[in-house]
Amino acid sequence: MTGDITLLGYGVSAIGPAIAIGLIFAAYINGVARQPEAQGKLQPIAILGFALAEALAIFGLVLFFIAFFVG
Amino acid sequence: MEHTTIASGVLKAAAESEPMGAGVDAVPIYPYIPELIFGTIVFALFWWFVAKKIVPSLEKAYAERTAAIEGGMQAAEQAQAEAAEAKKQYEDQLGEARAEAARIREHAKEQGAQIVAEMREQAQAEANRITETAHKQIEAERQQAMVQLRGEVGTISTALASKIVGESLEDEARQRGIVDRFLAELESGEVRPEKLGAGSEQGS
Amino acid sequence: MSATMAAVGLVLPMAEGEHFPPTPGSFWQPLFAIPGTDYAFTRPMLLIAISAVVLAVWLWLTTRHAAVVPGRGQWYTEQVYNFARNGIARDMIGSKDFMRFVPFLFALFVFILLNNLFGVIPGFQNPTMARIGFPIGLTLIVYVMYHWVGLRKAGSVGAYLGGLLPSGLPGWIKPMIMFLELITFFITRPLTLALRLFGNMFAGHMLLVVFIVGGWYLFRTWDPALMAVAIPAWVLGAALTAFEALVQFLQAYVFALLAASYLGGALADEH
């Protein structure tokens, strides 16, 4: 088997943000299901949380690029 | 793959002869400088265009829309006020008409009462007049009857007297004088009719 | 890459000439050399110019005679404009001084949106923002802008940096929090803003290429078993294309939302 360990590293690093994003949207769906009129207020907050959690995955991708191409 | 630190890798890439981010083998996270500059300029131009042309015209349309809606609301308010005023006017008129009707009714009642009173008065007067006339007529008839009676009584009593006393009383003047004198005595109360009546009854 | 292949790549970026599996090098698509320099004019540069022209013409045509009662085109433009104006700018900055930033945020949103959608629009099929130079350029503008706005609001550099600290902290923890805040404000925020957009477009497009071009490679083996596998690959590719369209919209929204949030944070009275 050939390949690069950095690829595996990125795959592992994506687990955390994936769970985080899942939790954020689960909470968002719960909130909207309970109070549909609060959707307008919750949506930007959910998207912001999603963006912040996603940033970690993006960091992982960037580090992967650096390690894979440069290192 | 040989292991180097990230920092040394970056330095190594920067030291390469090809411009940053160019070529098939370039690291994807290194910007290609012409793209960076060109993209920034294109966006800045687009931003300038949006800020100068698009947003002002859209905001103008929004402001006009708001004004139109507010104007519509104002017009509606005005119409409502007008309607309220018309209603008030109508109610005032209705009230006036009611008052007028009441006044007319009152007036009519008064007038009616007056008319009744007048009629009553008139009727009274008429009645009085008729009564008076009747009285007068009766009086006149009575007078006439009395005159007639007087003549007849005179004739009868003369005839009776002539029968009783047997004395011819042909002399008209004397006869009349006696009868008149008798009647005058009768009227003045010197001779009692009962006595006369009794006398005549006795006499017949 | 030869000039002929570049010309083909202008229309069909992922044509037969591409090798499989795709590499990050597939995004390097130079068209011609800029005269007098070592640099090349690339296909994404052409696409970004096209996007700006298309958007400018569309916006100008629909709002040229902006009326109180909107026509069809104006109505669509207004929907997008309302989304950026009320959903992004007003919600994040507050109704006091959001109007100053509406042109910027609206331009940012539609600009990124169209450039992202180029990734799924046939004939373009290359998200411009998958070249990191463009997100960095946009991020630089946002970065300079929110620091400038914050500085203007605070009055001096010292007051601005002091304003980064949340109030009511015990003394001993202040240096640590200050350090974290400085990293957040000056490094993490711009870095994530640019890299998020780039990473999503880059990875998403790579995914589409893997499924669609990969299906084509399987098909071209003329082996019945592998040809049968190509069909589900394409079906999945079509589904992922729809998913990518959603992600592309979401990323444009997130970029504008975060820019508005940073600006709003710089304008807020306290942290």
Side-chain angles (χ1 to χ4, degrees), chain B residues 28 52 70 98 118 124 127 137 182 193 204:
Chain B
K52 280 279 165 269
E70 270 170 11
R98 275 207 190 111
E118 260 173 33
Q124 192 72 41
Q137 203 172 348
F182 171 71
S204 56

Side-chain angles (χ1 to χ4, degrees), chain C residues 72-250:
Chain C
R72 209 175 162 75
Q74 195 195 335
W75 190 81
Y76 285 122
T77 305
E78 275 184 13
Q79 294 309 301
V80 181
Y81 180 68
N82 277 341
F83 181 73
R85 179 185 189 264
N86 303 336
I88 297 175
R90 200 175 58 190
D91 280 6
M92 283 293 138
I93 301 178
S95 51
K96 194 157 66 80
D97 29 28
F98 78 102
M99 257 338 277
R100 273 199 287 156
F101 302 106
V102 164
F104 176 65
L105 293 170
F106 175 56
L108 200 61
F109 175 65
V110 291
F111 191 74
I112 296 175
L113 181 61
L114 185 60
N115 275 298
N116 285 354
L117 287 177
F118 276 166
V120 293
I121 295 175
F124 296 100
Q125 273 166 335
N126 184 17
T128 324
M129 296 298 164
R131 291 291 293 174
I132 194 158
F134 302 111
I136 287 180
L138 297 178
T139 303
L140 274 180
I141 297 178
V142 175
Y143 185 65
V144 170
M145 204 168 170
Y146 80 78
H147 281 308
W148 175 247
V149 164
L151 270 174
R152 285 264 310 266
K153 169 94 179 171
S156 71
V157 177
Y160 177 54
L161 294 180
L164 299 183
L165 263 184
S167 53
L169 283 176
W172 58 271
I173 209 171
K174 272 185 181 171
M176 229 166 81
I177 298 291
M178 190 70 204
F179 178 67
L180 286 178
E181 288 285 329
L182 283 179
I183 287 185
T184 304
F185 264 72
F186 289 93
I187 299 171
T188 319
R189 276 186 176 185
L191 213 60
T192 53
L193 195 61
L195 288 175
R196 178 181 301 110
L197 183 55
F198 156 75
N200 273 286
M201 291 309 104
F202 181 88
H205 198 62
M206 202 85 125
L207 199 64
L208 291 188
V209 171
V210 165
F211 275 98
I212 292 168
V213 180
W216 174 239
Y217 269 78
L218 286 172
F219 197 77
R220 274 207 319 166
T221 55
W222 304 114
D223 178 344
L226 290 179
M227 281 166 82
V229 179
I231 307 297
W234 279 332
V235 169
L236 207 59
L240 280 173
T241 302
F243 176 71
E244 266 309 295
L246 175 72
V247 169
Q248 284 157 353
F249 167 79
L250 201 63

Side-chain angles (χ1 to χ4, degrees), chain B residues 1 6 13 23 39 43 52 54 58 63 65 79 81 85 89 101 105 112 121 139 143 195 201:
Chain B
M1 183 178 282
I6 289 169
F43 175 72
K52 280 279 165 269
I54 308 301
L58 276 174
R65 196 169 301 162
E85 199 176 332
Q89 212 168 354
R105 216 157 37 220
E121 214 168 292
E139 184 68 16
Q143 288 288 345
K195 280 179 186 170
E201 247 180 37

